[in-house]
Amino acid sequence: MWRDWSTRFNRWRYDLYAPLYDKVAQGFAAARRRSIGLLNPQPNEQVLLLGAGTGLDLDFLVRCRHITAIDIAPAMLAQLRERAAKLGVEVRAEVMDGHQLAFPDASFDAVVLHLVLAVIPDPQACIREVERVLKPGGHVAVFDKFLADRKRAPLWRRAGNLLARAVATDINRRLGDIVAVTQLQRIHDEDAGLGGFFRIALLRK
Ligand SMILES: C[S@@+](CC[C@H](N)C(=O)[O-])C[C@H]1O[C@@H](n2cnc3c(N)ncnc32)[C@H](O)[C@@H]1O
C-alpha cells in the first residue's frame, strides 16, 4: 500500500519536474557516457531504460536499434519521445511501473538503471523485476547515489535525507542491500563523483 502511494507521489512530482529536469540532470553526461560505455550494448541487442525520465541517456545509445523506455511519469516520457525524434533513435516508450514490468522473462540483453534505484519506492522489487526480464548473461548499468555497503549513515546524511527524500531521492540506500535479493553479480563498481557519493556499477545475470 505504501508503495502504491509513494509511486503515485513520484508520478505527480516527476510530471511537475519534467519541464526543468534537463537543466538539473544534464550535468551527469560524463557519468552516463562512462556507465553506458561499460554496458557496451550492441546495435542488435534489446535495451531497457527503466525510469528513463526525459531520455538523457539516449545521446549515448544512438547505435542501438531496439530500445524500450519505461517511466511512471507521462510528462517525462513526452520529453523522451521528443529527444528520440530529434536524435533519430527509435524508442518504444511506455508508462509503466518499474516494480511490475509488463515484459516476459528474459526479454532484454541490457538494462540501464540511472538515477532510479534511489528514487523508486521499493528498489528490491525493482531489481527482482530487472533480473527476471534480463536474459542470462545480460548486463545492468547502475549510476546513482549510494551509501557504502555495511556503513551506517552519519548524522548529516540521515538529517539531509529527510529533505532529499521529500524533494527527489533517497541518499542512504546501499547497492549491496538492493542487489542481495537477486542472483545478479556485481562485476564492477567505481566512484562516480563527490568522493564516492555517486557510484557506477555493472551487474551481470
Ligand atoms: C531522477 S529521475 C532519473 C531519470 C533518468 N533515468 C535519468 O537518468 O535522467 C527518476 C525517474 O524515475 C521515475 N520513476 C519513479 N518511480 C518509478 C516507478 N515506480 N516506475 C518507473 N519509473 C519511476 C521518475 O518518474 C523519474 O523519471
Side-chain angles (χ1 to χ4, degrees):
M1 184 54 91
W2 65 269
R3 193 171 94 178
D4 293 343
W5 281 107
S6 204
T7 298
R8 265 180 235 153
F9 178 55
N10 267 347
R11 182 195 300 247
W12 175 81
R13 68 178 170 171
Y14 277 96
D15 271 346
L16 196 67
Y17 298 162
L20 297 172
Y21 183 81
D22 285 2
K23 298 246 177 318
V24 178
Q26 65 195 5
F28 296 121
R32 295 180 193 282
R33 181 192 300 279
R34 168 71 180 154
S35 175
I36 292 172
L38 287 168
L39 186 66
N40 194 24
Q42 299 303 299
N44 273 331
E45 289 186 338
Q46 296 287 340
V47 180
L48 173 65
L49 301 181
L50 193 156
T54 59
L56 287 166
D57 292 321
L58 292 176
D59 291 357
F60 310 103
L61 291 164
V62 288
R63 290 182 325 137
C64 296
R65 294 199 292 270
H66 307 287
I67 302 175
T68 302
I70 71 108
D71 199 284
I72 202 70
M76 298 291 270
L77 283 186
Q79 297 214 16
L80 179 144
R81 289 189 187 98
E82 275 179 29
R83 172 169 281 110
K86 275 188 201 142
L87 289 170
V89 183
E90 208 168 301
V91 181
R92 172 183 165 202
E94 286 183 44
V95 174
M96 195 182 292
D97 186 350
H99 301 111
Q100 284 173 296
L101 298 174
F103 303 118
D105 297 355
S107 301
F108 297 97
D109 301 282
V111 179
V112 177
L113 295 177
H114 284 178
L115 303 174
V116 67
L117 286 177
V119 169
I120 197 162
D122 186 344
Q124 294 184 328
C126 174
I127 201 82
R128 278 199 196 97
E129 279 293 87
V130 168
E131 182 180 36
R132 181 182 68 74
V133 301
L134 201 59
K135 296 179 186 176
H139 290 86
V140 186
V142 178
F143 163 58
D144 224 316
K145 306 149 284 306
F146 293 110
L147 188 62
D149 290 343
R150 290 179 292 277
K151 269 214 172 154
R152 181 171 153 75
L155 185 61
W156 71 265
R157 252 181 114 134
R158 278 180 278 146
N161 207 21
L162 297 175
L163 179 65
R165 284 179 63 178
V167 175
T169 182
D170 198 310
I171 57 171
N172 288 337
R173 292 182 180 172
R174 297 181 193 83
L175 184 57
D177 293 343
I178 297 169
V179 175
V181 300
T182 69
Q183 303 290 314
L184 297 171
Q185 291 173 284
R186 195 181 336 178
I187 57 173
H188 182 82
D189 192 337
E190 69 183 38
D191 180 343
L194 297 182
F197 185 80
F198 285 96
R199 301 208 70 82
I200 289 172
L202 191 64
L203 314 176
R204 183 174 58 205
K205 179 168 174 178

